[in-house]
Amino acid sequence: MSQACGVDFGTSNSTVGWHRADQPALLTLEQDKVTLPSVVFFNAEDDEISYGRAALANYLAGYEGRLMRSMKSLLGTSLIDGQTEVLGKSVPFRGLLGQFIGELKKRGERAACQSFDCAVFGRPVHFVDDNSKADQLAQDTLEEIAHAAGFKEVQFQFEPIAAAFDYESRISQEELVLIADIGGGTSDFSLVRLAPERSHLLDRRNDILGNGGVHIGGTDFDKYLSLTHIMPLLGLGGRLASQIEVPSSYYFNLATWHTINLVYTQKVWRELQDVYRDIQSSDVRQRFERLLNLVEDRDGHWLAIKSEEAKILLSDQESIQLSLERLRSKQPSAPCSLMLDQDGLQQSIAHLSSDIGRAVSQVLQTAGVRPEQVDTVFFTGGSSGVRSLRQQIAAIVPDARKVEGDLFGSIGAGLGLDAARRFA
C-alpha cells in the first residue's frame, strides 16, 4: 500500500485517491460517498463549520451563516491575497482554502486509517490563461496552502494526465487518447499515447503529445444559463424611466459564486432601492421586487444552486420544469417556475462551447496530429456531461471511440496511482 495520496481539489467536487492492490481507488469522504463537494458553511446560529453535502443541506435549511463554494477559482486571481468577512471576523482567503484542504486530508486519513504526509495534487493545465508567471504563482500558492494544511511533501500533476493514468489502467493495447476534462472551473485537454506496458514508467513526457485548455468550466455554464434564462425573471434587461437598462452588475455578481456576497452590502441595498424607485413599468417593477426579496433573504446561493441543478438535469433530459419557489414579489401570484430545454442551454453557453472547441483543435494542431489519428476521446469531469458540449468535441475527432470515465473520480484515482509511483 502506498503511503502517499492523490488530492483532486476541485472547483465543485474534491476526491482523495489512494492506490492499493485490488482495492477501490478512492477513499470515502462523506458518509459512503467518495466525493466531497467543495463547499464550506459557517453556521452563525450554532457556531459550527460543516463541509460538503452537509454544508449545502444546512444552508438550504435556512440556518443563518456564510456559504463558501468554488474556492479553487480564487487561485490565480488577486482575490487570493484578500480577506472576507465570516461570522463577523475578517478571514484570509488563503486560510479558507487551507481549512478545506485540511479537512480533505483529515477525512482521507480517517478512511485509510493512516496518515498521509506526501501527496500529488491535481492542477489544471492553465490556472491562468496566457500568463505563465501568474499560472506558476497560482501553483506555488496552492503548494504553500497544502503545506500549511499538513502535507510535508507536495508534487503536482496536470488533471487530464491524471485521468489518462486512470484510463490506462483499464486498456489492453496502445491507444492515442484525447483526454477531455471539463471540470467546474476549467476545461483541459491532453493528447496522450497510452499503453499497458508503459504504465510503470515514472517519466511519461515523451508520451504527452500536446496539452492545453481554457479557464472555462461548469460554474461558467451555470452563470450564463442563469443570466440568459433566470435573471430576466428578476429584472435583468428591464428599463428605467430614462429608458436605460437596469444595471447588470447586480445580476452578474449573483450569477458568480465567489461574488454573490458582494450584493449583500448596505451600499448595494441602498442602490437597489434607488433603482426600484426609478422603474415605471409595472412588469419590470414586479420582476425587480423578486430581486429585492432575494437579496433581503440572502438567497443568492440558493439561486446559483438552482442554475446548477438545471444544467445537471438537462444532461439527461430534453426539457425540464425548474421550480423557483423562493422567487416572490409583492403581487400575489403562482409559484415561479421556468421551462428549459436543450436548445435553451446551448443558446446560453454557445460562446463558451466555441472557445472550448477551439482549444481542442489547437491541441491537435500543436501536436501535429490529424483528427483521424485519434483512437479515443476519454471524457471526465462533472461538466463533460453537458450534451451539446460533448457533441461538439466529438465532432472534431469523428472517428474516435467515445469513452466516459468516472466523471467525478477519474482524476483522483489517477492522482493516487501517480502518488504511489512517485513516492514508492
Side-chain angles (χ1 to χ4, degrees):
M1 293 188 297
S2 172
Q3 302 300 303
C5 68
V7 178
D8 177 20
F9 169 45
T11 303
S12 301
N13 292 278
S14 297
T15 59
V16 176
W18 186 36
H19 181 62
R20 302 152 291 168
D22 301 320
Q23 293 293 315
L26 297 173
L27 293 166
T28 55
L29 300 178
E30 187 175 21
Q31 298 173 342
D32 60 341
K33 304 290 195 303
V34 296
T35 58
L36 181 69
S38 303
V39 186
V40 184
F41 181 64
F42 298 89
N43 189 322
E45 297 180 32
D46 299 332
D47 194 24
E48 291 179 348
I49 302 173
S50 53
Y51 299 87
R53 295 169 186 81
L56 286 170
N58 287 337
Y59 169 76
L60 292 174
Y63 287 101
E64 189 70 25
R66 176 76 185 273
L67 186 77
M68 300 290 294
R69 193 178 184 186
S70 298
M71 295 174 288
K72 184 180 179 180
S73 299
L74 297 169
L75 292 166
T77 74
S78 58
L79 285 174
I80 192 63
D81 293 316
Q83 299 184 336
T84 187
E85 185 177 312
V86 176
L87 305 185
K89 299 178 182 178
S90 188
V91 179
F93 281 119
R94 285 174 181 254
L96 291 172
L97 266 69
Q99 196 167 347
F100 183 80
I101 289 173
E103 183 68 17
L104 272 179
K105 182 176 187 292
K106 182 176 75 175
R107 292 185 182 215
E109 290 175 337
R110 186 167 59 211
C113 298
Q114 72 160 57
S115 63
F116 292 122
D117 293 332
C118 305
V120 176
F121 271 68
R123 57 148 295 168
V125 174
H126 299 296
F127 278 111
V128 183
D129 295 339
D130 303 320
N131 189 331
S132 58
K133 186 177 292 186
D135 186 80
Q136 184 60 49
L137 179 60
Q139 177 177 301
D140 293 343
T141 300
L142 180 54
E143 183 174 0
E144 292 170 8
I145 291 170
H147 282 305
F151 289 105
K152 294 179 181 177
E153 188 168 355
V154 175
Q155 296 186 22
F156 289 91
Q157 179 60 269
F158 290 133
E159 289 160 355
I161 299 299
F165 292 156
D166 178 49
Y167 177 61
E168 188 175 53
S169 69
R170 290 180 269 129
I171 62 176
S172 58
Q173 62 185 22
E174 182 176 299
E175 294 183 21
L176 180 57
V177 183
L178 174 66
I179 306 295
D181 171 23
I182 318 295
T186 58
S187 296
D188 294 325
F189 306 97
S190 290
L191 197 59
V192 191
R193 194 169 298 282
L194 301 176
E197 61 270 19
R198 298 181 61 76
S199 63
H200 68 284
L201 299 176
L202 290 179
D203 188 352
R204 301 295 298 275
R205 282 175 291 184
N206 291 335
D207 291 330
I208 302 170
L209 306 187
N211 56 40
V214 285
H215 206 260
I216 297 171
T219 55
D220 299 292
F221 305 152
D222 302 340
K223 173 181 178 177
Y224 283 97
L225 176 65
S226 179
L227 288 169
T228 304
H229 298 288
I230 299 177
M231 292 303 174
L233 299 174
L234 282 70
L236 177 62
R239 296 191 176 274
L240 306 177
S242 61
Q243 292 305 303
I244 65 171
E245 285 195 356
V246 173
S248 62
S249 58
Y250 311 119
Y251 303 99
F252 273 83
N253 283 336
L254 274 173
T256 308
W257 270 101
H258 57 271
T259 60
I260 290 173
N261 284 285
L262 298 179
V263 185
Y264 298 151
T265 66
Q266 287 298 315
K267 178 177 179 294
V268 169
W269 179 250
R270 289 192 295 269
E271 290 175 5
L272 292 173
Q273 298 292 328
D274 291 339
V275 171
Y276 180 65
R277 284 190 286 269
D278 200 25
I279 297 174
Q280 289 186 341
S281 163
S282 60
D283 173 62
V284 178
R285 285 180 71 86
Q286 182 176 358
R287 288 188 280 137
F288 200 82
E289 285 168 5
R290 291 175 179 150
L291 175 63
L292 291 175
N293 289 324
L294 183 89
V295 172
E296 187 174 30
D297 295 340
R298 299 200 167 202
D299 273 338
H301 291 93
W302 165 81
L303 193 65
I305 291 169
K306 296 300 289 187
S307 182
E308 180 186 36
E309 176 188 321
K311 176 196 69 182
I312 293 170
L313 289 172
L314 284 170
S315 295
D316 298 321
Q317 302 177 41
E318 287 298 326
S319 63
I320 61 167
Q321 187 80 26
L322 184 68
S323 174
L324 298 167
E325 67 281 356
R326 294 193 188 184
L327 295 187
R328 56 186 178 84
S329 61
K330 292 179 182 177
Q331 301 298 323
S333 59
C336 192
S337 65
L338 180 66
M339 177 67 75
L340 288 168
D341 59 19
Q342 286 290 334
D343 289 342
L345 175 60
Q346 173 56 23
Q347 172 197 350
S348 60
I349 67 169
H351 63 298
L352 303 176
S353 298
S354 296
D355 289 344
I356 290 171
R358 280 192 288 272
V360 174
S361 297
Q362 185 62 48
V363 169
L364 295 177
Q365 183 179 341
T366 302
V369 171
R370 299 188 307 277
E372 62 270 20
Q373 293 178 289
V374 178
D375 297 310
T376 305
V377 182
F378 182 74
F379 290 101
T380 187
S383 296
S384 68
V386 174
R387 194 182 306 177
S388 59
L389 179 61
R390 182 180 291 214
Q391 291 169 347
Q392 180 166 350
I393 295 171
I396 296 172
V397 284
D399 298 331
R401 199 163 57 100
K402 314 306 184 291
V403 175
E404 180 175 297
D406 182 337
L407 297 189
F408 299 100
S410 289
I411 293 172
L415 290 171
L417 270 172
D418 201 20
R421 294 167 184 163
R422 294 190 194 209
F423 296 110

